Amino acid sequence: MSIEGGVLDMPVVWDEDCLLHQPAGEVWLGERIDGTEVPDRATVILHRLTEAGVRLLPPADRDDEAALLAVHDRALVEHLATVWADWEAARFPADYGRDRVVPYVFPTAAMLAGLPVRTPTATHAQVGQYCYDTMTLVGPGSWEAIRAAAACAKTAADLVSAGASAAYALCRPPGHHAGPAGYGGSCYLNNAATAAQALRHAGVDRVAVIDIDAHHGNGTQAIFYARPDVYYGSVHVDPGAGWFPHYMGFADERGNEAGINANRNVPLAPGSGDDAWLDAVNLLCDDARAHGAQAVVLSLGVDAATADPESPLQVTADGYRRAGELIGSLGPVAVIQEGGYDLASLADYVFAALAGVAAGRAAAAST
Ligand SMILES: [Zn+2]
């Protein structure tokens, strides 16, 4: 694996089904607005990487239910697989013009007041049991894309456990806000967690997930929070400064039970640029080394980019290249695509990060 003259020699796992998810906007503060998690995100990345000469591979198995159930509750997986058909059968599109699945009532701790959650009868009431915000809509084709994205992540992990120095999964929709039992933040199933667990199943004793998306990966944190074998480290815009996911991602969340100290959050002030961000990435790399990680899952969100509409961080493409290099020096890397919403620049950022990973792997191999 190398990068010379703008050519990137890295396996890229891609499935056209990832384009089938068309959320058609999001409900934000009560209004349906245009969303930024659009199919073109994947198309521009694919175009840029194809130009760079990458090898495209399909996922090995789109129907690997065991890989999904290793990190998600069966009820969540079944909900995502069936909710659009249920929504149509309940005639929400035909009779009410509701062309996407959206929750309207949420069984929060405040509502339940200590009582257990019952599964409600009405389809439109069931959605809030799994979907924790109103921005993460489900429509025709969503499930096909969701399972394809997870399958791409699993295959990238399998390539790494089979000896690849690095592999990239062009996952869409992204995954790091999806937890073991619920979804939100434009994420449905957790692709990075699926990859990390696949590495564990393949015999990698210690895995580090390093998440450089601009937002905290609350879902990945939740999945591994009590586990010592998978470290989770994230640098992101400070949720305490008013940013999604608002309720978690704070520095004092360090894991619990057997997973104590295997979780690290580095929240940054809005406006932070390369210096502060790379210091944080360095810290996470030191942690991963101290954790004894033999392989890394990189949650590659490029929405910390200066021009990105979804975050106030100010990281340059060169910053992403350097982050990739630092992370590539740790060991074999399965790179999983997360966020990144500025269609004009996001593909260059992804390329820069992957080029950095390739350079970091090459440097590690030569020492
Ligand atoms: Zn993000």
Side-chain angles (χ1 to χ4, degrees):
M1 193 193 58
S2 65
I3 167 157
E4 280 166 24
V7 174
L8 181 67
D9 177 19
M10 186 186 291
V12 169
V13 191
W14 164 246
D15 188 329
E16 294 275 337
D17 274 9
C18 288
L19 299 174
L20 295 175
H21 172 54
Q22 311 242 2
E26 58 188 46
V27 178
W28 191 66
L29 307 184
E31 293 276 338
R32 178 89 164 254
I33 61 169
D34 288 343
T36 52
E37 205 295 281
V38 294
D40 273 355
R41 295 180 54 246
T43 310
V44 296
I45 296 170
L46 187 65
H47 182 69
R48 180 72 180 85
L49 295 183
T50 305
E51 266 181 4
V54 299
R55 282 170 286 138
L56 289 179
L57 303 168
D61 181 4
R62 281 179 184 155
D63 296 309
D64 188 348
E65 190 183 57
L68 304 182
L69 296 179
V71 286
H72 305 96
D73 289 359
R74 178 177 287 280
L76 170 62
V77 176
E78 286 181 355
H79 168 80
L80 290 168
T82 57
V83 68
W84 173 251
D86 292 348
W87 190 260
E88 274 197 306
R91 300 193 57 80
F92 288 109
D95 291 353
Y96 302 97
R98 301 299 196 274
D99 64 354
R100 293 295 183 275
V101 177
V102 61
Y104 90 109
V105 60
F106 301 90
T108 61
M111 182 193 190
L112 294 169
L115 290 175
V117 184
R118 296 172 196 267
T119 297
T121 305
T123 296
H124 57 303
Q126 288 169 11
V127 184
Q129 192 177 334
Y130 302 100
C131 184
Y132 59 73
D133 63 34
T134 62
M135 307 181 303
T136 310
L137 309 184
V138 175
S142 292
W143 171 245
E144 286 72 15
I146 293 162
R147 70 172 183 171
C152 288
K154 164 76 161 55
T155 296
D158 288 347
L159 288 167
V160 165
S161 59
S165 182
Y168 168 69
L170 207 185
C171 297
R172 177 183 176 270
H176 73 152
H177 295 305
Y183 65 102
S186 298
C187 300
Y188 300 84
L189 291 176
N190 196 308
N191 306 315
T194 301
Q197 188 63 35
L199 287 165
R200 289 285 296 110
H201 278 170
V204 180
D205 289 335
R206 295 237 154 191
V207 175
V209 181
I210 297 183
D211 188 332
I212 60 174
D213 186 279
H215 306 97
H216 177 244
N218 56 296
T220 316
Q221 169 172 297
I223 287 168
F224 297 117
Y225 205 57
R227 285 177 48 172
D229 54 331
V230 181
Y231 166 85
Y232 176 72
S234 176
V235 54
H236 48 266
V237 62
D238 186 358
W243 290 87
F244 192 86
H246 300 285
Y247 290 92
M248 54 275 285
F250 295 87
D252 62 358
E253 296 159 17
R254 297 301 315 273
N256 67 11
E257 301 172 14
I260 198 90
N261 292 330
N263 194 88
R264 169 94 75 173
N265 291 320
V266 187
L268 297 182
S272 297
D274 285 8
D275 290 349
W277 190 75
L278 286 166
D279 282 350
V281 172
N282 245 320
L283 178 78
L284 301 178
C285 289
D286 287 346
D287 260 10
R289 252 184 232 103
H291 179 73
Q294 296 144 328
V296 178
V297 173
L298 170 57
S299 264
L300 176 61
V302 294
D303 45 3
T306 50
D308 198 278
E310 298 290 350
S311 109
L313 297 179
Q314 299 289 324
V315 180
T316 66
D318 191 56
Y320 268 92
R321 184 192 58 76
R322 288 156 67 193
E325 209 166 333
L326 292 168
I327 292 160
S329 73
L330 293 172
V333 189
V335 185
I336 309 298
Q337 185 62 45
E338 302 284 1
Y341 306 97
D342 175 43
L343 291 174
S345 67
L346 91 95
D348 286 338
Y349 272 76
V350 169
F351 177 80
L354 295 180
V357 168
R361 297 302 304 126
S366 68
T367 54

